[in-house]
Amino acid sequence: MKKIEAVIKPFKLDEVKEALQELGVQGMTVLEAKGYGRQKGHTELYRGAEYVVDFLPKIKVEVVVDDGQLAGALEAIQNAARTGRIGDGKIFVSDITDVIRIRTGESGAQAI
């Protein structure tokens, strides 16, 4: 099992969600986040004063998939989240040793 953490632009969330649902990915956790990468923020004007916005709004999507779904899920996220501009985000993949469904006590792939 693998955990996919994708940091994406907020307006791409619905497209990523739909792409993963088409693959049969059952659940997802979505967190509002702030951060920066190579784009290093930008400057804005507010009431005549210029200030730097260091942390840009992002969305962090977390899903756990079976090893067989990994390649398809990664491709779906990349295609749905890509705008072609700087700041599109990153995808991180981690190994998951076990999953336990609290309600039933199921573990492993059945608990995903």
Side-chain angles (χ1 to χ4, degrees), residues 30-80:
V30 177
L31 305 163
E32 290 185 14
K34 289 185 179 197
Y36 69 91
R38 287 187 187 165
Q39 80 267 33
K40 297 190 175 53
H42 61 277
T43 59
E44 286 188 5
L45 229 68
Y46 180 71
R47 294 189 178 185
E50 189 175 282
Y51 66 99
V52 177
V53 178
D54 288 335
F55 295 102
L56 300 173
K58 300 287 183 180
I59 294 289
K60 183 177 180 184
V61 177
E62 298 180 353
V63 294
V64 176
V65 297
D66 198 46
D67 289 342
Q69 290 182 303
L70 179 63
L74 291 174
E75 185 179 347
I77 293 169
Q78 282 180 312
N79 291 337

Side-chain angles (χ1 to χ4, degrees), residues 24 58 99 103:
K58 300 287 183 180
V99 177
R103 179 178 52 87

Side-chain angles (χ1 to χ4, degrees), residues 5-6 9 14 24 26 28 36 50-51 53 57 60 71-72 76 78 100-101 109-110 112:
E5 297 175 84
K9 292 184 175 185
D14 287 336
Q26 292 289 319
M28 121 182 351
Y36 69 91
E50 189 175 282
Y51 66 99
V53 178
K60 183 177 180 184
Q78 282 180 312
I100 300 169
R101 180 173 285 139
Q110 281 104 9
I112 299 178

Side-chain angles (χ1 to χ4, degrees), residues 92-109:
F92 304 95
V93 180
S94 308
D95 287 319
I96 298 294
T97 56
D98 201 4
V99 177
I100 300 169
R101 180 173 285 139
I102 295 172
R103 179 178 52 87
T104 63
E106 292 173 299
S107 65

